[in-house]
Amino acid sequence: MADVSSHSPGTFSWPELATTDQKAAVSFYRALFDWDVNDQPIGPADIYSMFQLRGKEVAAAYTMRTEERQMGAPPHWNAYVTVANVDEAVTKAQGLGAKVYAPPFDVMDAGRMAVLQDPTGAVFQLWQPNKHIGAKILNEPGALCWTELSTRDTKGAEQFYTQLFGWTPKHSGPGSPMEYTEFSNQGRPGVGMMPMNEHIPTHVPPYWLSYFQVADVDASTGKAKELGANTLVAPMDIADAGRFSVVSDPQGAVFALFAPKSRT
């Protein structure tokens, strides 16, 4: 078990689903991950669905805003990074070439946030916690365990994020089957980056992918498919790390499943 009481600045701390059918999506993820749900009213008609394990928040879902749909955004998982001061982080990010989609604003008494697009085109969120720290469980089945950037400019992205968050990069060695960068935040790995495949259509922007840990990738991938998901990357091994797959939920939001290699 990996309970969390706070997140260090620079940590991906909250996965949040933006979807077009919140009721159906909540049912899908509850069945897939055995999540409980605590629906919180936000405004006169909207609901924020807080997913829980053992009574602790691990993720959330909401219905996509009209402006998100008008911009052509598909259902997706938002990736929040904890910072000590959102306003200062946004100013710094702008100086490094980021675009501000939503300037800093308070989320009631939960915290303060902003939405940015990095210089390579990937969107992410910043979170300054108040009463809501983010995920209270990480790195166990049903919880976020890794967040990964796919981009067409890995060098530019590395320069941006290392300067913004102080991440330390570790590059794949010579002879590796693929180019991959692992970032550590204050000595703790948890972030990855890879170049976008040349077969990905040019209209698809760079993106952050959330990985959720499971006990058995093959079983969970099969279960997701039974629940209406599509398999984008079939279960496969990552040398010395574990096994993963990539799926899209019935509404089209993409996420990954991961089971770490047993350390015996």
Side-chain angles (χ1 to χ4, degrees):
M1 296 182 181
D3 290 8
V4 178
S5 59
S6 65
H7 296 281
S8 300
T11 301
F12 276 101
S13 57
W14 189 240
E16 178 190 71
L17 177 68
T19 185
T20 51
D21 189 338
Q22 187 171 345
K23 184 177 180 179
V26 167
S27 295
F28 169 82
Y29 287 101
R30 290 189 71 183
L32 181 61
F33 293 129
D34 293 325
W35 283 341
D36 293 319
V37 65
N38 179 15
D39 284 333
Q40 300 287 329
I42 47 171
D46 293 326
I47 294 291
Y48 196 66
S49 297
M50 301 277 272
F51 294 117
Q52 298 178 328
L53 283 175
R54 307 196 312 275
K56 299 176 183 291
E57 294 84 14
V58 292
Y62 72 92
T63 297
M64 289 178 67
R65 311 286 184 253
T66 300
E67 54 268 26
E68 289 182 284
R69 300 191 197 195
Q70 290 175 341
M71 291 175 65
H76 59 279
W77 278 93
N78 291 319
Y80 285 70
V81 182
T82 290
V83 293
N85 185 300
V86 162
D87 298 75
E88 291 178 2
V90 168
T91 298
K92 185 175 183 179
Q94 284 182 293
L96 294 170
K99 177 180 178 180
V100 179
Y101 272 179
F105 64 95
D106 291 323
V107 184
M108 296 175 281
D109 60 356
R112 188 167 173 81
M113 68 171 289
V115 183
L116 302 179
Q117 183 184 53
D118 74 24
T120 79
V123 175
F124 64 102
Q125 288 72 27
L126 298 176
W127 182 250
Q128 179 184 332
N130 186 9
K131 290 190 175 181
H132 176 63
I133 67 160
K136 293 181 179 177
I137 301 174
L138 294 175
N139 304 314
E140 73 171 57
L144 183 72
C145 63
W146 193 258
T147 311
E148 181 182 81
L149 175 65
S150 291
T151 179
R152 295 183 179 87
D153 182 3
T154 55
K155 289 183 179 180
E158 178 177 323
Q159 183 177 20
F160 173 77
Y161 287 105
T162 54
Q163 292 186 58
L164 181 59
F165 296 129
W167 292 345
T168 302
K170 178 184 176 182
H171 303 109
S172 53
S176 298
M178 61 174 288
E179 177 188 337
Y180 197 84
T181 303
E182 179 183 290
F183 294 103
S184 293
N185 181 53
Q186 300 181 33
R188 296 180 180 179
V191 182
M193 179 179 66
M194 60 189 294
M196 293 180 75
N197 189 299
E198 65 273 12
H199 300 298
I200 296 176
T202 56
H203 70 270
V204 177
Y207 59 91
W208 282 100
L209 179 67
S210 297
Y211 282 66
F212 295 96
Q213 189 169 319
V214 294
D216 185 322
V217 166
D218 296 74
S220 292
T221 304
K223 185 176 183 180
K225 190 173 181 180
E226 291 174 4
L227 293 168
N230 291 315
T231 303
L232 304 180
V233 178
M236 62 185 298
D237 292 325
I238 307 171
D240 300 320
R243 190 165 174 83
F244 84 105
S245 68
V246 180
V247 301
S248 62
D249 70 22
Q251 288 70 47
V254 179
F255 63 101
L257 301 170
F258 177 76
K261 188 174 182 179
S262 177
R263 305 296 181 186
T264 55

